Every structure is written in C-alpha cells, then in structure tokens.
Amino acid sequence: MKELEEGQEMTLRTVAMPADTNPAGDIFGGWLMSQMDIAAFVRSSELAGGRTVTAAVKEMTFVKPVKVGDTVCLYTKPLRIGRSSITMEVQAWRRRGPDPREKVTQGIFIMVAVDENGQKRELALPPLPGQD
C-alpha cells in the first residue's frame, strides 16, 4: 500500500452506492470525478477564504475500479497558488471491508477564486514553499 504524501489532507469521505454504477457493475468514472471536484472545491474554497469554481481538470488517471460498498476517501493537496487560481491535486482511495486502503484515481484540478457576482478575484495568499 502506497502511503499518502506530505501536505495531503482528507477532505471528503463517501460510500459508493448501487445507483452510481456503470453497466459493468463498477462505479461510474464520472461519479468519482464529481466527488473529486467537490473535494477540490471544498479545500480550495477554504484556502481562498471564499467561493472557487473549477476552471480545468488538467489530468485524470483511473488506476483501479471502485465497487459498490467501497468507502471512498478523497485527499487534496495544493500544488500551486497563482494570482486568482489554486492548482489542486486530488487523490481518491478506496477501502473495501478490512482490506488495506488503495489509491484508485488521481487528478489535477485548477480552481479559480470568484466573488459574489461570479467574477474572478485575486487571492491574498502567498505562493507555496518551493513554488517558482
């Protein structure tokens, strides 16, 4: 089992349900991606001190399937802070009964801070350590 990296924080935990399956009986990738988007929103909005929206999903890798009944834990880690955006790594890990936790999906989400009118706003956050 690969362990989590420094800076990752559990942001969301949910259970995969029968309504979330594709015709093969696995959890639909779109459902998993939406859970990851919610986690990116939660963590970036906390960091930004206000609302954020998804501007892009830069990369998405599905490693293993998720089955009905799996507990899905979503971990987030900010990779870069820009003038108005936060680039966020999101990892989804599953736990199936007593089995060890396994990473099933990872992606990079670019979140943009917006004001009450939905207009882009500047962040009052310093760059992350080591960020160029």
Side-chain angles (χ1 to χ4, degrees):
M1 165 178 72
K2 181 181 182 287
E3 287 301 316
L4 297 171
E5 299 167 7
E6 184 177 335
Q8 289 179 317
E9 177 179 295
M10 185 189 292
T11 308
L12 188 67
R13 181 177 9 208
T14 190
V15 176
M17 301 298 284
D20 305 316
T21 59
N22 63 24
D26 295 325
I27 295 302
F28 179 57
W31 176 85
L32 190 54
M33 187 174 177
S34 73
Q35 299 304 305
M36 294 171 76
D37 189 38
I38 292 168
F41 162 77
V42 168
R43 182 87 183 271
S44 63
S45 293
E46 289 172 354
L47 290 170
R51 183 175 162 217
T52 61
V53 296
T54 307
V57 178
K58 192 173 173 183
E59 172 180 317
M60 197 76 169
T61 306
F62 294 91
V63 181
K64 295 183 178 197
V66 175
K67 300 287 187 184
V68 170
D70 286 352
T71 299
V72 178
C73 300
L74 296 133
Y75 295 86
T76 57
K77 177 182 178 180
L79 300 177
R80 184 180 182 285
I81 295 177
R83 282 194 9 238
S84 62
S85 67
I86 300 173
T87 301
M88 187 75 59
E89 177 186 51
V90 183
Q91 293 185 1
W93 293 65
R94 73 171 183 215
R95 174 155 283 162
R96 185 172 293 154
D99 295 342
R101 177 184 61 208
E102 294 182 284
K103 183 165 64 169
V104 294
T105 308
Q106 63 185 34
I108 306 295
F109 289 71
I110 300 172
M111 309 300 289
V112 173
V114 295
D115 64 19
E116 58 279 349
N117 297 316
Q119 299 300 309
K120 184 167 48 172
R121 67 177 173 87
E122 287 198 28
L123 295 169
L125 296 170
L128 295 170
Q131 178 180 314
D132 357 45

